[in-house]
Amino acid sequence: MFDAKNIWKERVAGVLNEVLEENGVRGNLDGAGITAEKPPKPELGDIAFPVFPFAKILKMPPPRIAAAAADKLAGFSDGEVRAAGPYINVRLDRGQAARAVLNAVFDSGKDFCKSDALKGRRVMAEFSSPNTNKPLHLGHLRNNALGESVSRILAACGAEVLKVCIFNDRGIHICKSMLAYIEKLDGTTPESAGEKSDRFVGDCYVAFNAMSKTDSGAEDRARELLRKWEAGDPATTALWKKMNEWAVNGIKETYRRTGISFDKYYFESETYLRGKEEVLKGLEKNIFYRETDDSVWADLEAEKLGKKTLLRNDGTSLYITQDFGTAIMRHEEWPFDKLIYVVGSEQRYHFQVLFTLLTRLGFDWASDLYHLSYGMVNLPDGKMKSREGTVVDADDLVDKLHDMALAEIREKEREEAVGSAPEIAEKIAIGALHYYLLQITPEKDMLFNPSESISFNGNTGPYLQYMGARISSILKKEGEKNDSANVALLTSDAEWELLKTVAAWPETVNEAAEKMNPSIITSWLYELSKNFSRFYHGCPILGAENPELKRARLALCRAVRRVLRSAFDLVCIPFLEVM
Ligand code: ARG
């Protein structure tokens, strides 16, 4: 593993201990106590260590500390040390570093980014978790990208990750779609209507909304249907099953298309009774209370979370009721060290209440529950509403991106060259989508701009895919084999910046895992693409001055492609050999 920063941190700690001891103080600093920075100007070197924090214990002005430490750090062959004011600056030996970085990349095979930071930790990641009354929308696409990406990042750091999804398949929402089906569309099927099956169910839901505007009894009839369902009425159950299957199958098709997968699916209909049971147990223990109208409540005033209904007065369950059962069953089945819920920020209160109440019920693992909250996604030309108005359908959006990518391939007259244009267009669409969605920090609201996302230029998924394809084509011309190149020749500024970015890949993954934030990886990818472009334009590869240098540059290209591939995998972007 190439780890210059940590090696130098240890060395700096060592000499600061010496300086301390010379001043009669026992030094017990180690590398972890030293901060490393990037010098503001490249002329100053590659790593800067500020020494202000030690001025007090040393009773010395920082520049004197830096000078004393720099003196003691002279003589290492892998870097040159200079004091500059209150900083110790290290300029690494480029040739040696190049060898170390590229050896690390090639020796570790595909696993250059793999770390042990989370080894032995069991993490369950719940994401997507749609309702079964309509197809996925743009908000789900952000959720899916985050959940899938964070899961892959945590796994790359050694965690054992179980990706799960719960279908909220029972409740009033699905009864509304069912009622409209019975009253308006009975006998038709997705096949007869020629529609994707989840969209067909969504159309029923839209039909319900339309009819409830003029038909004041519609809401009551939907409630009646819910009561019949809870009572196990056979005809209602049969229709519920059929429509849920349509919804679930259609939704799974969208997952497949976008490269999202799960290890386990949960269904609310299979967990809500357990939730109800746990609420009643809490009632018996006086953790919850019953109102005069018979509904069951929790008092969370002490936590400034108000009061919350847990069971309706007719005994039926609410959204939160099932979440008790679901969490408890999950922990019984697969005892986790952490359970991450990837859910929109508008449900922050829901999860605060859930976590607080599970703690009160005595589940000590409740402190391992985490709400990974994310902001809204809108299209530039309008708000996205989930109940009424225009919902941005996930399939439609991917279709649109696909068409735009295909048009671009045709425009560039690359149809022949790429083999199957529709297949490549689809992969470009997915790359564009995921890169755009993941480059924004999760908490922030964002606008999804389709034409910006699919652009082949700029900070986009397709641009990065193009860079990967370009490297592949260079390597194809010159053979892929890793002949022993003298990579110590890679010492120009452009080569050096690119090498340093490659070297930063493992720590980038660790940071993304720690913060559960894939945008740390997309920012690194952008940095990599800028530095590659500078290298590509400034350092001829196939036309290098001599064969030795050419071999060295080809080795650098191979290393870049390798880290690019692992990075693409972690942010769900397909790698393309040609484009
Ligand atoms: N189906 C819910 C919705 O669409 C989200 C479920 C989130 N997960 C959970 N365990 N509550 O709002």
Short mmCIF file of all heavy atoms in Angstrom, two decimals, residues 522-543:
data_model
loop_
_atom_site.label_atom_id
_atom_site.label_comp_id
_atom_site.label_asym_id
_atom_site.label_seq_id
_atom_site.Cartn_x
_atom_site.Cartn_y
_atom_site.Cartn_z
N THR A 522 -17.56 10.94 -6.32
CA THR A 522 -17.74 11.64 -7.61
C THR A 522 -16.80 12.85 -7.70
O THR A 522 -16.30 13.14 -8.78
CB THR A 522 -19.21 12.09 -7.83
OG1 THR A 522 -19.61 12.93 -6.75
CG2 THR A 522 -20.15 10.90 -7.92
N SER A 523 -16.54 13.54 -6.57
CA SER A 523 -15.60 14.67 -6.63
C SER A 523 -14.20 14.19 -6.98
O SER A 523 -13.49 14.82 -7.76
CB SER A 523 -15.49 15.38 -5.28
OG SER A 523 -16.72 15.82 -4.86
N TRP A 524 -13.83 13.07 -6.39
CA TRP A 524 -12.51 12.50 -6.71
C TRP A 524 -12.45 12.12 -8.20
O TRP A 524 -11.44 12.32 -8.88
CB TRP A 524 -12.24 11.29 -5.80
CG TRP A 524 -10.99 10.55 -6.14
CD1 TRP A 524 -9.73 10.80 -5.70
CD2 TRP A 524 -10.88 9.42 -7.02
NE1 TRP A 524 -8.84 9.92 -6.24
CE2 TRP A 524 -9.52 9.05 -7.06
CE3 TRP A 524 -11.80 8.70 -7.79
CZ2 TRP A 524 -9.06 7.99 -7.83
CZ3 TRP A 524 -11.34 7.64 -8.56
CH2 TRP A 524 -9.99 7.28 -8.57
N LEU A 525 -13.56 11.55 -8.71
CA LEU A 525 -13.60 11.17 -10.12
C LEU A 525 -13.40 12.38 -11.02
O LEU A 525 -12.72 12.32 -12.04
CB LEU A 525 -14.95 10.52 -10.45
CG LEU A 525 -15.04 9.00 -10.27
CD1 LEU A 525 -16.48 8.53 -10.38
CD2 LEU A 525 -14.18 8.29 -11.32
N TYR A 526 -14.01 13.49 -10.61
CA TYR A 526 -13.87 14.70 -11.41
C TYR A 526 -12.41 15.16 -11.42
O TYR A 526 -11.86 15.52 -12.46
CB TYR A 526 -14.79 15.79 -10.86
CG TYR A 526 -14.79 17.04 -11.69
CD1 TYR A 526 -14.95 16.97 -13.08
CD2 TYR A 526 -14.63 18.29 -11.11
CE1 TYR A 526 -14.93 18.11 -13.85
CE2 TYR A 526 -14.61 19.44 -11.88
CZ TYR A 526 -14.76 19.35 -13.25
OH TYR A 526 -14.74 20.48 -14.00
N GLU A 527 -11.80 15.12 -10.25
CA GLU A 527 -10.39 15.47 -10.11
C GLU A 527 -9.53 14.55 -11.01
O GLU A 527 -8.64 15.00 -11.72
CB GLU A 527 -10.02 15.23 -8.63
CG GLU A 527 -8.63 15.58 -8.21
CD GLU A 527 -8.46 17.07 -7.99
OE1 GLU A 527 -9.49 17.76 -7.77
OE2 GLU A 527 -7.32 17.53 -8.08
N LEU A 528 -9.85 13.27 -10.97
CA LEU A 528 -9.11 12.30 -11.78
C LEU A 528 -9.26 12.64 -13.27
O LEU A 528 -8.29 12.60 -14.03
CB LEU A 528 -9.62 10.88 -11.50
CG LEU A 528 -8.84 9.76 -12.19
CD1 LEU A 528 -7.49 9.53 -11.50
CD2 LEU A 528 -9.64 8.44 -12.17
N SER A 529 -10.47 12.98 -13.67
CA SER A 529 -10.69 13.25 -15.10
C SER A 529 -9.95 14.52 -15.53
O SER A 529 -9.39 14.56 -16.62
CB SER A 529 -12.19 13.35 -15.42
OG SER A 529 -12.73 14.54 -14.92
N LYS A 530 -9.93 15.53 -14.66
CA LYS A 530 -9.21 16.76 -15.01
C LYS A 530 -7.71 16.47 -15.13
O LYS A 530 -7.05 16.91 -16.07
CB LYS A 530 -9.43 17.83 -13.94
CG LYS A 530 -10.75 18.56 -14.12
CD LYS A 530 -10.84 19.78 -13.21
CE LYS A 530 -10.71 19.37 -11.76
NZ LYS A 530 -10.97 20.46 -10.81
N ASN A 531 -7.19 15.70 -14.19
CA ASN A 531 -5.76 15.41 -14.22
C ASN A 531 -5.39 14.46 -15.36
O ASN A 531 -4.30 14.56 -15.92
CB ASN A 531 -5.29 14.85 -12.88
CG ASN A 531 -5.23 15.95 -11.83
OD1 ASN A 531 -4.97 17.09 -12.15
ND2 ASN A 531 -5.50 15.61 -10.59
N PHE A 532 -6.32 13.57 -15.70
CA PHE A 532 -6.04 12.69 -16.83
C PHE A 532 -6.00 13.50 -18.12
O PHE A 532 -5.13 13.30 -18.97
CB PHE A 532 -7.05 11.55 -16.95
CG PHE A 532 -6.74 10.65 -18.12
CD1 PHE A 532 -5.73 9.71 -18.03
CD2 PHE A 532 -7.40 10.80 -19.33
CE1 PHE A 532 -5.38 8.92 -19.12
CE2 PHE A 532 -7.07 10.02 -20.43
CZ PHE A 532 -6.06 9.07 -20.32
N SER A 533 -6.94 14.42 -18.23
CA SER A 533 -7.01 15.20 -19.45
C SER A 533 -5.74 16.05 -19.61
O SER A 533 -5.19 16.17 -20.72
CB SER A 533 -8.29 16.04 -19.39
OG SER A 533 -8.21 17.11 -20.24
N ARG A 534 -5.27 16.59 -18.49
CA ARG A 534 -4.04 17.37 -18.54
C ARG A 534 -2.85 16.49 -18.97
O ARG A 534 -2.03 16.88 -19.80
CB ARG A 534 -3.79 17.95 -17.15
CG ARG A 534 -2.78 19.04 -17.15
CD ARG A 534 -2.76 19.73 -15.80
NE ARG A 534 -1.40 20.16 -15.54
CZ ARG A 534 -0.85 20.20 -14.33
NH1 ARG A 534 -1.52 19.81 -13.27
NH2 ARG A 534 0.39 20.61 -14.19
N PHE A 535 -2.80 15.31 -18.43
CA PHE A 535 -1.76 14.35 -18.78
C PHE A 535 -1.86 13.97 -20.26
O PHE A 535 -0.89 14.00 -21.01
CB PHE A 535 -1.90 13.13 -17.88
CG PHE A 535 -1.23 11.87 -18.38
CD1 PHE A 535 0.15 11.75 -18.36
CD2 PHE A 535 -1.99 10.80 -18.86
CE1 PHE A 535 0.77 10.58 -18.81
CE2 PHE A 535 -1.38 9.65 -19.31
CZ PHE A 535 0.01 9.53 -19.29
N TYR A 536 -3.08 13.66 -20.68
CA TYR A 536 -3.32 13.18 -22.04
C TYR A 536 -2.90 14.23 -23.08
O TYR A 536 -2.32 13.92 -24.10
CB TYR A 536 -4.81 12.85 -22.17
CG TYR A 536 -5.21 12.31 -23.51
CD1 TYR A 536 -4.98 10.98 -23.84
CD2 TYR A 536 -5.85 13.13 -24.44
CE1 TYR A 536 -5.36 10.48 -25.07
CE2 TYR A 536 -6.23 12.63 -25.67
CZ TYR A 536 -5.99 11.31 -25.98
OH TYR A 536 -6.36 10.81 -27.18
N HIS A 537 -3.23 15.50 -22.76
CA HIS A 537 -2.89 16.56 -23.72
C HIS A 537 -1.44 17.01 -23.61
O HIS A 537 -0.86 17.48 -24.58
CB HIS A 537 -3.85 17.73 -23.57
CG HIS A 537 -5.25 17.36 -23.97
ND1 HIS A 537 -5.60 17.09 -25.27
CD2 HIS A 537 -6.37 17.16 -23.23
CE1 HIS A 537 -6.88 16.75 -25.33
NE2 HIS A 537 -7.36 16.78 -24.10
N GLY A 538 -0.85 16.84 -22.43
CA GLY A 538 0.51 17.34 -22.23
C GLY A 538 1.60 16.29 -22.44
O GLY A 538 2.75 16.63 -22.70
N CYS A 539 1.26 15.02 -22.33
CA CYS A 539 2.27 13.97 -22.40
C CYS A 539 1.90 12.94 -23.46
O CYS A 539 1.06 12.07 -23.19
CB CYS A 539 2.41 13.25 -21.05
SG CYS A 539 2.58 14.35 -19.65
N PRO A 540 2.47 13.02 -24.63
CA PRO A 540 2.14 12.04 -25.67
C PRO A 540 2.36 10.62 -25.15
O PRO A 540 3.40 10.37 -24.51
CB PRO A 540 3.12 12.35 -26.80
CG PRO A 540 3.71 13.68 -26.49
CD PRO A 540 3.51 13.96 -25.04
N ILE A 541 1.41 9.75 -25.40
CA ILE A 541 1.55 8.39 -24.86
C ILE A 541 2.15 7.48 -25.93
O ILE A 541 3.30 7.06 -25.83
CB ILE A 541 0.19 7.86 -24.37
CG1 ILE A 541 -0.37 8.82 -23.29
CG2 ILE A 541 0.34 6.44 -23.80
CD1 ILE A 541 -1.80 8.63 -22.95
N LEU A 542 1.37 7.23 -27.00
CA LEU A 542 1.88 6.36 -28.05
C LEU A 542 3.02 7.06 -28.81
O LEU A 542 3.90 6.40 -29.34
CB LEU A 542 0.76 5.95 -29.00
CG LEU A 542 -0.38 5.18 -28.30
CD1 LEU A 542 -1.50 4.84 -29.27
CD2 LEU A 542 0.14 3.90 -27.63
N GLY A 543 2.97 8.38 -28.80
CA GLY A 543 4.02 9.13 -29.48
C GLY A 543 5.08 9.67 -28.54
O GLY A 543 5.66 10.73 -28.80
#
